Amino acid sequence: MKTPLICPKCGRSEDEVKFIESFCIDDYPLNIKVPEKEELERCKRCGRMLFRGEWTPYDEKKIEKHIIGKCRGEFATASYDFGRQELDFTIVRGGRELKVEKLVPLLIRITMCQQCNQISGGYYQGIVQLRGDRQRVEKYAKMMMERLEKKTFISKTEEKDGGIDLYVGSSKAVLAAVTQLGVRALITKKLIGRDEGKRLYRTTFAIRL
């Protein structure tokens, strides 16, 4: 008669509980290491998250992949439950499938990204002055804004006699949009200060349509 296996950790036999190799299913040694916690910054205004040094749209799939990528050990599958803040692992041993849960708190610090800080403070680097026929001004203002909003932000727009002014966060983005639209602009720069010895300019793009 075969002698039943005894778990060296809890003392139960295989007549009482399922076994994997020499251990019961509850006490089988698992070599899985998980991060103690995961920290994340999220902008309270735009909702984006700071991920690997860049502000990107909040994406739970990306966060889950990042957390799982920090785990070490032998497991078949892994997923992260944001409600429970736990990692769920599937482990296959001795022809049996084990489900293991590991707590990894996700600490989200609410802050404000640089771009939203600049918007709230009315910051802008460039001014786009569109002048000429009203219909053409409105048409090009719309096309200009569509291109600019992909690269930077628009702090405000102002209706002017004979046109529209756009106050834009990045002069480089304005220059790129002007080039894409194939319009000619009279460009002037004004020194507005210094930052750590670097000269800071505000650039005006006067466009006649």
Side-chain angles (χ1 to χ4, degrees):
M1 182 177 177
K2 181 186 176 184
T3 304
L5 292 172
I6 303 296
C7 178
K9 197 164 184 179
C10 69
R12 290 181 295 177
S13 74
E14 62 180 328
D15 294 332
E16 302 172 82
V17 67
K18 293 178 180 178
F19 265 62
I20 298 177
E21 299 172 358
S22 301
F23 291 83
C24 74
I25 194 169
D26 296 324
D27 294 318
Y28 185 83
L30 301 170
N31 185 27
I32 297 179
K33 294 182 179 180
V34 301
E36 183 180 331
K37 61 183 177 181
E38 186 64 30
E39 296 183 83
L40 188 70
E41 288 185 41
R42 190 172 185 186
C43 178
K44 63 182 179 182
R45 179 167 178 165
C46 67
R48 294 184 301 167
M49 63 179 183
L50 184 61
F51 187 76
R52 294 180 176 173
E54 291 186 16
W55 288 98
T56 63
Y58 185 79
D59 187 335
E60 289 191 347
K61 285 291 184 184
K62 189 179 287 187
I63 297 169
E64 178 186 45
K65 186 177 179 181
H66 179 69
I67 294 174
I68 293 172
K70 289 185 173 183
C71 300
R72 297 292 178 267
E74 296 180 11
F75 49 88
T77 64
S79 62
Y80 185 76
D81 188 299
F82 284 83
R84 293 185 287 109
Q85 298 199 346
E86 289 183 338
L87 279 162
D88 298 319
F89 295 97
T90 301
I91 299 167
V92 179
R93 290 289 187 278
R96 297 184 184 276
E97 193 175 89
L98 290 174
K99 300 292 184 181
V100 179
E101 298 172 353
K102 295 281 186 178
L103 179 66
V104 181
L106 176 62
L107 308 178
I108 299 180
R109 186 163 70 89
I110 303 300
T111 182
M112 192 178 285
C113 68
Q114 182 184 19
Q115 180 170 300
C116 287
N117 262 323
Q118 291 175 339
I119 293 172
S120 63
Y123 174 86
Y124 58 94
Q125 276 187 4
I127 306 172
V128 182
Q129 297 177 337
L130 298 167
R131 300 292 184 269
D133 177 76
R134 188 66 193 180
Q135 285 189 335
R136 285 177 59 80
V137 166
E138 291 179 355
K139 175 185 174 182
Y140 276 87
K142 182 180 179 181
M143 291 193 295
M144 180 74 70
M145 291 172 71
E146 287 174 351
R147 284 162 175 77
L148 291 173
E149 286 172 348
K150 293 177 182 178
K151 300 292 184 181
T152 183
F153 59 90
I154 299 171
S155 292
K156 62 178 178 177
T157 62
E158 285 187 350
E159 294 284 339
K160 297 288 186 178
D161 290 338
I164 297 173
D165 284 358
L166 309 177
Y167 294 79
V168 186
S170 167
S171 294
K172 287 183 179 179
V174 176
L175 188 59
V178 167
T179 302
Q180 288 172 4
L181 290 172
V183 294
R184 296 181 64 180
L186 176 62
I187 301 173
T188 56
K189 290 186 177 183
K190 180 181 178 182
L191 182 65
I192 59 172
R194 292 177 181 270
D195 183 15
E196 298 180 354
K198 183 180 178 181
R199 292 181 178 182
L200 300 177
Y201 291 94
R202 183 160 288 152
T203 307
T204 300
F205 299 80
I207 301 171
R208 175 64 62 176
L209 299 168

